[in-house]
Amino acid sequence: MQTAGQDNLAEELAASYASTGARSLAVKTFAFRMMADHANMAIGMRQVATAQGMTVPTSPSDTQIAEITAMSASHGGAFDKAYVAQEITRHKAMLQAYQGEVASGTDPAIKKYASDRLPVVQYNLKAAEALLSQS
């Protein structure tokens, strides 16, 4: 839950930069979708965590913040490529984590959360990969 929570917050932060800093309309559109999808995922996660007596993080990890800060210093096409590359990396890691939880998780509520969100993560990874191939 800790890692997934930080991933959602990192996604929202990176997408907020991309929604204004991206050059490509396709990348900006993708960023708006990331903000919406990951805000919804965070809401679901908070509900599961609260029911399980867990807490969720309130900020991305220091490493994620550093990566996003470095990305935000780019401009134009370089920004777009850096953002999309980060999206692919983060979504691959999320996909692996969610699949692992579905396959071997022990808490039914967390397992269900991961299972329910897995298609969103898969879709977003494919969408990011498609953006990379367009640039």
Side-chain angles (χ1 to χ4, degrees):
M1 290 297 269
Q2 178 74 16
T3 301
Q6 288 176 323
D7 288 344
N8 279 327
L9 293 167
E11 284 296 316
E12 290 181 72
L13 179 60
S16 70
Y17 282 112
S19 69
T20 58
R23 179 186 68 181
S24 162
L25 179 58
V27 172
K28 285 185 180 192
T29 301
F30 176 80
F32 282 112
R33 179 175 178 118
M34 292 306 94
M35 285 192 290
D37 283 354
H38 288 280
N40 286 332
M41 288 174 76
I43 290 168
M45 179 175 291
R46 279 192 299 276
Q47 290 170 343
V48 171
T50 300
Q52 302 303 99
M54 302 170 150
T55 58
V56 293
T58 57
S59 68
S61 71
D62 291 342
T63 300
Q64 290 168 324
I65 291 171
E67 290 169 351
I68 294 166
T69 301
M71 174 208 62
S72 70
S74 302
H75 300 286
F79 176 93
D80 290 6
K81 286 182 182 185
Y83 171 66
V84 171
Q86 281 187 14
E87 288 301 297
I88 291 169
T89 299
R90 267 196 302 276
H91 279 88
K92 282 181 178 179
M94 280 189 276
L95 181 62
Q96 185 176 24
Y98 280 56
Q99 287 172 331
E101 184 63 36
V102 169
S104 60
T106 57
D107 185 299
I110 296 171
K111 201 170 178 172
K112 180 172 178 7
Y113 170 83
S115 178
D116 290 349
R117 279 28 177 225
L118 194 55
V120 175
V121 174
Q122 290 169 323
Y123 177 87
N124 289 341
L125 174 58
K126 287 182 183 182
E129 290 171 338
L131 282 174
L132 185 64
S133 69
Q134 293 173 8
S135 52

